[in-house]
Amino acid sequence: MRCEKGATPACKVHRWTEILEKLRMILLETELIEERKWGVPVYTLGGKKM
């Protein structure tokens, strides 16, 4: 973890969870392909990273 508060409710990342989930749902409605690279979602179109 980068932050000493990582994986706890005090971590600032938790503030973005709902927004990031909505953004992901929007992206999945497009022609972009969601893949995982090093455990992180990566979106491609025609084989190129976006």
Side-chain angles (χ1 to χ4, degrees), residues 28-43:
L28 292 176
E29 292 175 4
T30 69
E31 57 188 298
L32 294 173
I33 305 296
E34 181 182 69
E35 302 175 29
R36 294 259 173 201
K37 188 167 187 171
W38 300 302
V40 178
V42 177
Y43 298 90

Side-chain angles (χ1 to χ4, degrees), residues 13-37:
V13 172
H14 293 290
R15 296 181 194 165
W16 294 94
T17 303
E18 185 178 341
I19 295 168
L20 291 173
E21 288 173 356
K22 288 179 181 178
L23 179 58
R24 179 176 179 261
M25 295 311 297
I26 292 169
L27 289 171
L28 292 176
E29 292 175 4
T30 69
E31 57 188 298
L32 294 173
I33 305 296
E34 181 182 69
E35 302 175 29
R36 294 259 173 201
K37 188 167 187 171

